[in-house]
Amino acid sequence: FRRVLFRSAIPPSYCPACTTVFPDFVPGGAVTKRPRALCPHCGSLERHRVLALVLEGLTPTLAAARIVLDVAPVPVLSRLLARDTGGLYLPIDIDPAADSRRVMMQADLTRIPLPDDSVDVIMCTQVLEHVPDDLAAMREIRRVLSPNGIAFVNIPFRPGTVTDEDPSAPVKERIRRFGQADHVRFYGDDFDDRLRAAGLGFVHTTGPELVGPELAQRIGLVDPLGKVGAEHFWFVWKNPFRTAPGLPRRSEEHTSELQSH
């Protein structure tokens, strides 16, 4: 009864990735089927819909970008990036055949074949958990980012824990501990420290914090019983001691904390 009442009280759902309005999202997810996770029209998941809204707000930034680097591109976001990028939209993957991805360059995130300071926007969602040397990958992100560039990072994340990792774990253990056979870790609260160690500044937020409660409901971040899901996002830039354009100012206390590392 509670589920029926909840559904009858909500407005139609909206997918910002394909700009479609429809009655509701459907269950989806690679490992566990989350209710209201999948758009029945374009196949977007919760994180894709949040990032679609973020990219909509960054249209001028994308239009002015020299290079937009899309690591392990996701079709629903690739379409938006390719459409709005004014310079070169560059999708890359270390093994594009594994997921039938369409890329312009086969490349390793720990050895990006681009010059220093050459990339204005990087999309890196659900990638770092696959990389054995994730610190090398983060350092490469820092190296290629332009002084005013920004990267969007999303990872599997368990708040209140430390990162659990073992690149040498056998497949069955990886599935049990990390959720997928090709994952080598599940991140915890020390992910922030890893970004700092790579020389990156960042803001950490969640989907509901970014879009607010009403839009969180409309785009499928709230399940049929009213539980709010919390995909985690990091907006990352090159210098840990400055604020990227358009992002919240950090407090003096936070700045002092960064300078102590």
Side-chain angles (χ1 to χ4, degrees), residues 175-228:
I175 294 172
R176 178 180 64 83
R177 288 170 59 187
F178 313 136
Q180 287 186 206
D182 55 351
H183 288 188
V184 300
R185 66 181 61 81
F186 210 118
Y187 285 104
D189 292 339
D190 54 326
F191 182 67
D192 290 4
D193 295 328
R194 295 180 183 226
L195 292 171
R196 293 188 187 107
L200 291 164
F202 59 88
V203 166
H204 173 196
T205 187
T206 67
E209 288 172 345
L210 280 168
V211 305
E214 182 177 349
L215 198 50
Q217 171 65 65
R218 292 290 303 275
I219 69 171
L221 305 187
V222 181
D223 76 12
L225 296 180
K227 181 180 178 181
V228 181

Side-chain angles (χ1 to χ4, degrees), residues 4-105:
V4 172
L5 180 64
F6 181 84
R7 284 182 178 275
S8 65
I10 64 175
S13 296
Y14 169 68
C15 176
C18 61
T19 64
T20 305
V21 177
F22 46 89
D24 205 356
F25 295 98
V26 299
V31 180
T32 58
K33 295 300 179 183
R34 302 181 300 278
R36 304 195 73 228
L38 187 73
C39 172
H41 293 268
C42 71
S44 68
L45 294 170
E46 302 97 326
R47 62 181 175 271
H48 306 140
R49 297 192 288 273
V50 172
L51 287 170
L53 288 172
V54 170
L55 293 177
E56 182 179 344
L58 288 175
T59 299
T61 299
L62 293 171
R66 296 167 299 166
I67 298 177
V68 171
L69 185 67
D70 192 1
V71 185
V74 178
V76 292
L77 295 178
S78 296
R79 291 194 293 269
L80 303 179
L81 289 166
R83 181 194 68 190
D84 294 336
T85 298
L88 173 64
Y89 167 64
L90 182 60
I92 69 168
D93 197 337
I94 189 172
D95 185 13
D99 292 303
S100 302
R101 288 194 171 98
R102 300 180 64 180
V103 302
M104 291 181 63
M105 180 188 297

